[in-house]
Amino acid sequence: MSDSHHGSAGGNGFHPAAAPTAQADWPLRCHEMVERQLRRRGILAAMLSVPRHEFIPPEFANEAYSDRPLPIGHGQTISQPFMVAAMAEAPGLSGDERVLEIGTGCGYQAAVLSLLVREVHTVEMYEDLAVDSRERLRRLGYGNVQVHVGDGTLGWPDEAPFEAIFVTAAAPDIPPPLAAQLAEGGRLILPVGTPDEQRLLRVEKHGKALGKRALYHCRFVPLVGRYGWKPKTG
């Protein structure tokens, strides 16, 4: 759900307009995306396995493997591949975690995370996006992802605690329910700042203390909910 841009990442790498458009060639195009945009940055080879073109509207198929966010409806986007990988890499996952994602969007980041952890719970505010993502993830075989509908700023207490929580929209501050739902030693990855500019933070929980480290300047769509930004009206 991000409109995310790392300062040196945008505009680089693979330009799909010069490549074949048949969906049968997606493994080659995905490989090029990782080789040119991600592997050289030391980022997750797991992204080779996820067909990004399956998660975007058909009218953007030729841009599926560009290193930029793309619209998916409701003012939301599928995140820039660099930012998806950077967020997935940030908590130092071991593979046995139960994680929570806030902002399912089209389901792409949940699919990437599903290859890196034991179980993913993901919460989406817009019911039609959640329904579409649930069906898409099921069809593509990501069976360890559970999609829920609700206010993501409240987390998902029924399944807490989580070893890692990922927030794919910009918050004005750390939502208290998300901090509360972290396991001891758990890591929270989220963009915090104004609606126009944020820093991606890595937050680690030790008792009642939250250690914070800024990772990147970024720009995500606003997180809407009780502990986020108010929805636009009119």
Side-chain angles (χ1 to χ4, degrees), residues 7 36 62 91 142 151 166-167 184 194:
R36 295 188 184 187
N62 277 354
Y142 300 102
D151 179 350
F166 301 85
V167 181
E184 176 64 16
T194 70

Side-chain angles (χ1 to χ4, degrees), residues 21 37 62 71 99 101 118 136 206 211 216:
T21 58
Q37 300 166 14
N62 277 354
V99 308
E101 179 195 40
R118 175 161 53 97
R136 182 180 299 112
H206 295 288
Y216 301 102

Side-chain angles (χ1 to χ4, degrees), residues 10 21 38 49 52 64 68 88 100 102 105-106 145 151 156 160 174 178 186 199 205 207:
T21 58
L38 303 178
S49 301
R52 192 171 185 247
R68 59 184 292 260
L100 176 66
I102 305 304
C106 62
V145 180
D151 179 350
W156 200 253
I174 298 171
L178 300 187
R199 286 192 175 188
K205 183 177 183 178

Side-chain angles (χ1 to χ4, degrees), residues 4-10 41 80 82-83 215-218:
S4 51
H5 295 276
H6 175 238
S8 62
R41 299 169 179 151
Q80 175 190 15
F82 172 83
M83 191 56 71
L215 302 177
Y216 301 102
H217 288 282
C218 56

